[in-house]
Amino acid sequence: MRYLSTRGGVEPVSFSEAVAQGLAPDGGLYLPETFPDLASELNDWASLSYPDLCHAFFRKFATDLDDEDLRKAIHSAYKNFSDPGIAPLVRLNESWQVLELFHGPTLAFKDFALQLLGNLYELQIKRTGKKLCVLGATSGDTGAAAISGLLGKSGVKVFILYPDGKVSPLQERQMTCTGAENVFPLAIEGTFDDAQRTVKELFGDLAFRESIGLSAVNSINLARILAQSVYYLYAWLRLDPAIRNQTTFVVPTGNFGNVFAGWLLTQMNVPIGGFRVATNKNDVLHRLFDSGEYELGSVSPSLAPSMDIQVASNFERLLFYFLEGNSQRVREVMNCFRLEGRYAFENFSIPGFSSSCTTDKEIPEIIGNVWNEYQYLVDPHTACAFKDLPKDQPSVVLATAHPAKFPQVFEDAGLKIPISPVLEALLDRKPVKHRVDVNPSSVRSFIESKF
Ligand SMILES: *Cc1c(COP(=O)(O)O)cnc(C)c1O
């Protein structure tokens, strides 16, 4: 299996190369050249454990990796999850179930991809002997999960930019209290999008990229997307076969990586009912699905900070399929969007997608209602998924983070404050962070000073 760029400017590459590079050299995102047809596998796969399912799925894509290496990388990635089911389904009522994705080491769904990515990087380094420098921007959870996945891995240095004061105090502690020598959390003045732009520009500097072996852990990395497809498949296989094809996955959404990972399965002949894109008040994607207009707003901090995003990087991947693989058109749209901050599609509609947006006022109300009705605590991101969710619609709500990561929201709303021993333990450790100006040359100098 080979991988092509959404912008069509590079020769297709192997799985390992796509993973090592993250962003393609032409500025595009990698996608598989073709899709495996999973229809005939689904029966056999229904009885597999989570790691075995993940392995069976990745064998279709990671065709240049040694199978036993791949198996070990996957099994060790999911060893540190605290729930034996890895991604358990919890029923709330006749129609609704919650897919709990917060049992990994940093208590958010990003662990599913980043625990595995850390192991894939290790394989890569073992094979090529080349060291890697991982650079990413985070609005909170990605940084913590990336750091946890790459902690102490030899041959890897990790630099994570985050907006100072705009991630939750616990998220910041998860990034800064690791004690690891290969990890550098960089606090910047500005928003997540400022951090993301700087990271993108550094990736555009090909000489720099080559010289230090730069790789991306943002959800632009294809391995992350594929690792996330697995829990949709795992959940889908556990649904009542009578309603599988009508079940909607409801996905708290920021960069569009998570929901895109689910949608990819529909391209592999897994008949999923639909996807509901749940945004917070930063509603660029809700407006897109509503009106066909993709228009940049300004980011405003919300109670669901990991979704405070206006440029949804992974949208480019969906766009590629929407434009029927025409990379010339992808470049035009992305260019227009970059220059003018908006693009109006004439008839934007993708079967199976719906959307919602939730204000900060509504988030604590929803948390309270879900608690009162089902004695179930949801975090502020997951809360967005319940906005206007029809009671009779068979739905799987993705719970993207553990509620204990955001105690302030519960305290302010006078609600029961959730706790987690994993987070309590962080309070005793000393934070280490670095302040850097949010421009490519300052960040580059900082990175170079660590080599
Ligand atoms: C990252 C994150 C999201 C958004 O996921 P995307 O893949 O960017 O759409 C939602 N909720 C939580 C808790 C997150 O950490």
Side-chain angles (χ1 to χ4, degrees):
M1 173 83 73
R2 296 192 309 165
Y3 297 84
L4 43 77
S5 161
T6 48
R7 302 203 184 169
V10 291
E11 287 297 310
V13 299
S14 68
F15 177 80
S16 303
E17 276 173 89
V19 172
Q21 291 179 17
L23 192 69
D26 62 355
L29 307 183
Y30 282 115
L31 282 166
E33 210 167 30
T34 56
F35 285 108
D37 182 350
L38 301 186
S40 60
E41 316 272 9
L42 295 173
N43 258 340
D44 292 343
W45 286 6
S47 57
L48 297 181
S49 69
Y50 193 93
D52 286 336
L53 178 68
C54 185
H55 182 210
F57 183 79
F58 264 83
R59 283 176 76 149
K60 306 275 183 193
F61 294 95
T63 48
D64 64 332
L65 292 186
D66 175 77
D67 194 43
E68 185 53 21
D69 282 349
L70 179 64
R71 197 189 65 79
K72 281 192 197 138
I74 290 171
H75 279 259
S76 93
Y78 297 106
K79 244 186 9 232
N80 299 330
F81 280 57
S82 61
D83 189 287
I86 313 277
L89 274 169
V90 175
R91 180 168 289 286
L92 295 188
N93 64 27
E94 284 272 301
S95 319
W96 298 352
Q97 298 188 77
V98 176
L99 180 62
E100 292 186 342
L101 300 176
F102 51 69
H103 297 291
T106 72
L107 312 185
F109 79 91
K110 293 187 173 81
D111 289 328
F112 278 84
L114 288 163
Q115 292 292 312
L116 178 57
L117 192 64
N119 293 349
L120 293 177
Y121 279 149
E122 232 175 11
L123 281 182
Q124 172 86 5
I125 293 167
K126 211 170 74 187
R127 238 167 33 128
T128 63
K130 271 204 265 180
K131 297 190 172 172
L132 282 177
C133 168
V134 168
L135 173 64
T138 185
S139 51
D141 285 339
T142 308
I147 286 169
S148 165
L150 296 166
L151 209 67
K153 296 253 186 264
S154 69
V156 187
K157 285 197 167 71
V158 189
F159 299 85
I160 300 291
L161 276 67
Y162 68 94
D164 204 10
K166 297 194 180 78
V167 304
S168 88
L170 279 171
Q171 285 176 324
E172 184 170 37
R173 287 199 153 261
Q174 287 185 310
M175 290 191 276
T176 58
C177 297
T178 63
E181 283 175 13
N182 66 331
V183 168
F184 304 91
L186 310 182
I188 60 117
E189 210 54 61
T191 64
F192 167 73
D193 285 343
D194 295 328
Q196 177 83 320
R197 196 174 327 108
T198 300
V199 167
K200 277 208 162 184
E201 277 182 43
L202 286 171
F203 272 93
D205 181 342
L206 294 187
F208 176 62
R209 212 172 132 167
E210 275 291 301
S211 75
I212 58 163
L214 209 57
S215 184
V217 288
N218 289 69
S219 52
I220 52 184
N221 197 304
L222 184 72
R224 279 189 63 183
I225 302 288
L226 294 174
Q228 291 174 197
S229 300
V230 176
Y231 50 69
Y232 287 88
L233 187 55
Y234 187 72
W236 186 86
L237 290 167
R238 271 152 194 77
L239 297 175
D240 175 358
I243 55 146
R244 268 181 187 161
N245 303 5
Q246 293 117 53
T247 300
T248 295
F249 284 92
V250 193
V251 190
T253 303
N255 256 320
F256 204 73
N258 197 4
V259 62
F260 180 77
W263 180 80
L264 269 187
L265 292 175
T266 65
Q267 304 301 292
M268 304 174 207
N269 286 328
V270 182
I272 289 173
F275 298 91
R276 194 170 163 87
V277 173
T279 71
N280 63 21
K281 65 180 169 175
N282 295 296
D283 62 348
V284 58
L285 289 170
H286 174 56
R287 283 183 281 121
L288 171 72
F289 285 103
D290 217 35
S291 69
E293 182 150 303
Y294 190 49
E295 185 178 17
L296 203 64
S298 58
V299 191
S300 75
S302 80
L303 295 179
S306 297
M307 290 154 45
D308 289 347
I309 276 157
Q310 285 292 353
V311 184
S313 338
N314 272 288
F315 175 63
E316 181 167 340
R317 286 193 160 109
L318 187 70
L319 187 63
F320 179 83
Y321 294 107
F322 178 66
L323 299 173
E324 291 167 343
N326 185 337
S327 34
Q328 165 82 23
R329 287 279 293 124
V330 173
R331 285 199 300 272
E332 282 164 19
V333 172
M334 292 313 290
N335 214 23
C336 172
F337 183 67
R338 189 171 56 84
L339 296 174
E340 292 172 28
R342 67 182 285 276
Y343 191 89
F345 293 93
E346 252 166 46
N347 39 22
F348 186 83
S349 111
I350 297 182
F353 275 101
S354 59
S355 68
S356 69
C357 108
T358 307
T359 63
D360 270 3
K361 183 169 172 295
E362 292 165 325
I363 286 175
E365 290 168 7
I366 292 173
I367 293 174
N369 292 342
V370 173
W371 171 253
N372 289 336
E373 210 155 329
Y374 307 110
Q375 281 71 60
Y376 189 81
L377 275 183
V378 291
D379 95 288
H381 302 80
T382 308
C384 297
F386 289 89
K387 171 75 183 287
D388 296 338
L389 188 61
K391 269 260 165 80
D392 56 354
Q393 163 64 55
S395 299
V396 172
V397 167
L398 272 60
T400 51
H402 192 289
K405 288 189 94 166
F406 307 94
Q408 199 62 46
V409 178
F410 294 83
E411 191 176 333
D412 293 348
L415 296 164
K416 174 186 153 120
I417 299 175
I419 50 167
S420 147
V422 179
L423 296 177
E424 303 278 293
L426 288 176
L427 298 174
D428 304 331
R429 303 217 205 124
K430 190 173 166 305
V432 178
K433 65 178 174 182
H434 309 271
R435 278 178 209 285
V436 179
D437 285 339
V438 64
N439 64 63
S441 68
S442 305
V443 175
R444 190 171 60 203
S445 307
F446 182 89
I447 294 175
E448 281 168 346
S449 75
K450 300 298 168 197
F451 279 84

